[in-house]
Amino acid sequence: MKCIDFDKQFERYAAAWVKRNGAKYKNNMDVIESMMPDIYMEFLKKPADWLDGKRPERYFEQYSDAGMLVKWMCQYIDERVPLPDLLLERITALGEAAEEALCPLAQQGEGERRMTAISLLRELESVRPMSAYIDYIAALKEPDEVGDMCAESLTAMGEAAVAPILEALPRATDAARDIFADVLSNFPGDERIYALIMERFAHAQDRRALFASYLAKLGDERALPALYAAAEEQDVNYLDYVEIVSAIDALGGDRPPEREFAGDPYYESLKRL
């Protein structure tokens, strides 16, 4: 299939529109720029010679083979032609067939192919790749972009992802446990979730603020003694202290006494703003 550059075609259409109509608006580019969404809608609806007379908005609708459309999507990526939103919208419009075509790519694809598939499956609210996402994260030595996207998808899957993630914790790397803590912090109520986030708060000295925010989301008052202790540490930095105190507030605790942070690089940097 040919990879048509819809972005370039719209740029040409918009340039021609401005040439025809610019004087009407005194060539005020601010005004013209504000009209671009309407110009784009006009572009989508107008039959185009470069599409053999078809309207851009209808071009991909003539195809219903999800597998073919996903391969076409990959071809766009490989040829470095901007992916048309219209193609992606057509893929997701095919629902279950699109899920079947996208899942192998989300599980075993590489680079932009994989990330695009994960993104589309999230739009489809698909839970099919749940186990693959959990397995990918569980094995991570260091966080990466694919892992972040998998985590976002798992969070979007809701409570259904909680039990499988908890089952994967014993085999999860430290990096994975941090990512899973992020996901699970959205689903309070399980003792294992509280234990995981307390563990990460205790061990991740360089990310106290992050895990304090997770404890605040859990809403479990049992975390207060650990938060108070962290707030009193001599080497706590200003940004961590602010987030720890915020977590204490969220859990209904009394604010610790004010501390002096003069000389703390974070404090001095913010004071200059």
Side-chain angles (χ1 to χ4, degrees):
M1 303 296 288
K2 183 179 179 182
C3 293
I4 301 167
D5 191 336
F6 280 70
D7 287 358
K8 184 176 291 185
Q9 291 297 337
F10 175 63
E11 288 174 10
R12 291 172 178 168
Y13 185 90
W17 188 97
V18 171
K19 187 174 182 179
R20 291 194 311 270
N21 299 284
K24 187 189 306 183
Y25 300 99
K26 300 181 180 179
N27 290 311
N28 185 324
M29 293 311 297
D30 288 337
V31 172
I32 292 172
E33 186 67 28
S34 71
M35 298 176 66
M36 279 298 158
D38 292 332
I39 297 170
Y40 181 67
M41 293 305 297
E42 179 184 297
F43 161 78
L44 292 180
K45 295 179 181 300
K46 191 169 183 178
D49 292 342
W50 48 276
L51 292 178
D52 297 325
K54 295 181 177 64
R55 291 183 287 169
E57 66 178 358
R58 299 295 184 193
Y59 181 70
F60 292 105
E61 291 182 4
Q62 64 186 308
Y63 304 105
S64 297
D65 184 331
M68 181 273 288
L69 289 168
V70 169
K71 288 180 181 178
W72 201 355
M73 176 189 83
C74 292
Q75 185 182 342
Y76 265 95
I77 292 169
D78 293 345
E79 295 184 12
R80 299 184 179 180
V81 179
L83 267 171
D85 289 339
L86 296 165
L87 171 57
L88 302 181
E89 289 166 7
R90 180 56 183 159
I91 291 171
T92 56
L94 295 174
E96 186 174 348
E99 286 185 66
E100 292 179 3
L102 290 165
C103 276
L105 201 58
Q107 295 168 14
Q108 299 174 353
E110 296 181 357
E112 188 179 349
R113 285 178 167 214
R114 186 174 206 167
M115 291 188 289
T116 303
I118 293 171
S119 178
L120 294 180
L121 285 165
R122 186 164 65 245
E123 286 185 38
L124 286 163
E125 300 181 350
S126 175
V127 298
R128 291 189 185 195
M130 181 191 296
S131 295
Y133 293 168
I134 292 171
D135 290 343
Y136 182 88
I137 294 171
L140 281 176
K141 302 300 184 185
E142 298 289 341
D144 66 16
E145 192 172 1
V146 173
D148 290 343
M149 292 189 71
C150 289
E152 291 170 7
S153 294
L154 290 170
T155 301
M157 291 175 192
E159 293 280 356
V162 172
I165 292 174
L166 289 171
E167 290 173 6
L169 287 180
R171 58 184 169 87
T173 63
D174 278 344
R177 291 174 77 82
D178 288 348
I179 296 169
F180 286 145
D182 183 7
V183 177
L184 294 171
S185 69
N186 297 284
F187 308 102
D190 190 298
E191 182 66 23
R192 291 168 293 177
I193 297 174
Y194 172 76
L196 170 66
I197 297 177
M198 285 296 294
E199 170 212 316
R200 305 320 294 165
F201 180 74
H203 289 94
Q205 294 288 331
D206 59 334
R207 282 166 291 162
R208 282 286 182 86
L210 179 65
F211 292 104
S213 71
Y214 296 165
L215 289 171
K217 287 202 292 184
L218 287 185
D220 195 318
E221 296 177 2
R222 290 178 297 167
L224 283 171
L227 290 166
Y228 280 125
E232 293 170 3
E233 289 179 2
Q234 290 301 311
D235 60 350
V236 65
N237 69 60
Y238 178 68
L239 292 183
D240 283 356
Y241 178 81
V242 168
E243 194 62 51
I244 290 166
V245 171
S246 176
I248 290 170
D249 285 340
L251 296 178
D254 296 325
R255 291 177 67 88
E258 291 295 327
R259 290 184 55 170
E260 177 59 52
F261 282 94
D264 180 283
Y266 297 112
Y267 177 80
E268 297 297 340
S269 177
L270 289 170
K271 190 171 68 172
R272 289 193 293 269
L273 294 178

